[in-house]
Amino acid sequence: MIHLEEFDGVTVVRLDHGKVNALDLELLERITATFTELDAGPSRAVVLTGTGRAFSAGVDLRRIIDGGAGYVHAFLPALDAAFLAVFTLGKPVVAALNGHAIAGGAILAAACDHRIMATGTGTIGVTELPVGVPFPATALEILTHAYGAPPARRAVFAGDTLDPPAALADGRVDELATPDSLVATAVERAQGLAATTTPEVFRLTKEQLRVPDRQRPAADPRVLHLWLRAAEDGTLQRYLTALSSR
């Protein structure tokens, strides 16, 4: 279902589940387990990509129909957990969209810190309303964080899918790359994000960006701790020295 590759401190997580990497209970559980392990592991950053013609075409609706109520009761918490495992990973996560990213696949992409889409025939969009099902609250939070509130609202209500140039113009992805250079470009972006600061500072900053304003503490002791450490361990001085030498 999932293959892992290592590239100079970056773990590439490749979905490989059926023809279109449809999200079923088993794949969701593997995504959650994989990202939980990566969060505690030595990798500095992660790239999430797919196999074949799709990054992920979204929820496996046939499994929902065939599984009935029992399956749905297990599936929805697993869907929420997988979205959160990607969204809250305390390291840089870059989505390399090799093809279609539809519905739940688009949410997984939005949960990443940077999204690169391959040029070609792939499309991206959140199609839950045309399907006739509501969004989990977590999915809407992720979309709003990734797209901004007005674009997220437009994407949700439109339920449309956009090709790569239109997706870039609309802000659903951050850049485009050729299919042959997609993963290499994503690895490079992930390494660049990881190199911006220390892992601890990146983790805290990412957490702060993902917490709604109403839930942020007015004074976070971790912020004070990291400022004090930077002043005492030479971090600030090294920055000033490098700045003055330019």
Side-chain angles (χ1 to χ4, degrees):
M1 290 184 196
I2 290 179
H3 302 293
L4 302 181
E5 301 172 82
E6 302 295 330
F7 294 94
D8 296 327
V10 176
T11 299
V12 176
V13 178
R14 190 180 298 274
L15 306 180
D16 187 6
H17 187 50
K19 293 181 179 180
V20 293
N21 298 312
L23 301 175
D24 58 16
L25 181 60
E26 293 78 14
L27 179 57
L28 291 170
E29 290 175 342
R30 286 290 297 277
I31 291 171
T32 299
T34 298
F35 274 79
T36 300
E37 291 172 5
L38 287 169
D39 198 39
S43 297
R44 288 291 306 275
V46 176
V47 169
L48 178 60
T49 191
T51 304
R53 60 190 178 91
F55 173 73
S56 172
V59 171
D60 189 336
L61 298 177
R62 293 191 181 278
R63 286 288 303 278
I64 297 288
I65 295 169
D66 294 341
Y71 182 83
V72 173
H73 278 292
F75 174 83
L76 285 178
L79 181 66
D80 199 65
F83 288 158
L84 283 174
V86 177
F87 187 55
T88 62
L89 188 82
K91 303 173 182 183
V93 185
V94 176
L97 307 181
N98 54 294
H100 300 296
I102 308 298
I107 304 296
L108 275 181
C112 300
D113 303 309
H114 189 79
R115 294 171 296 283
I116 309 173
M117 191 173 189
T119 54
T121 59
T123 59
I124 185 171
V126 283
T127 58
E128 278 78 355
L129 293 192
V131 170
V133 293
F135 288 80
T138 297
L140 293 175
E141 177 189 344
I142 289 169
L143 280 180
T144 300
H145 173 84
Y147 296 176
R153 184 175 62 250
R154 289 194 297 269
V156 166
F157 287 149
D160 56 359
T161 57
L162 303 182
D163 64 15
L168 179 63
D170 196 60
R172 298 186 191 182
V173 298
D174 297 298
E175 62 178 303
L176 305 181
T178 64
D180 289 343
S181 66
L182 176 67
V183 172
T185 301
V187 168
E188 183 179 345
R189 297 294 179 270
Q191 290 171 330
L193 285 171
T196 56
T197 187
T198 66
E200 190 175 5
V201 171
F202 189 94
R203 179 181 292 274
L204 177 57
T205 302
K206 184 171 175 177
E207 178 186 327
Q208 291 172 317
L209 287 170
R210 279 155 170 69
V211 174
D213 290 340
R214 65 184 182 279
Q215 296 177 10
R216 290 181 190 147
D220 190 330
R222 295 172 298 175
V223 174
L224 175 61
H225 166 71
L226 290 173
W227 272 87
L228 289 173
R229 193 180 72 181
E232 294 169 355
D233 69 3
T235 296
L236 300 184
Q237 184 58 55
R238 285 192 295 273
Y239 176 78
L240 288 174
T241 301
L243 195 65
S244 63
S245 65
R246 290 178 183 174

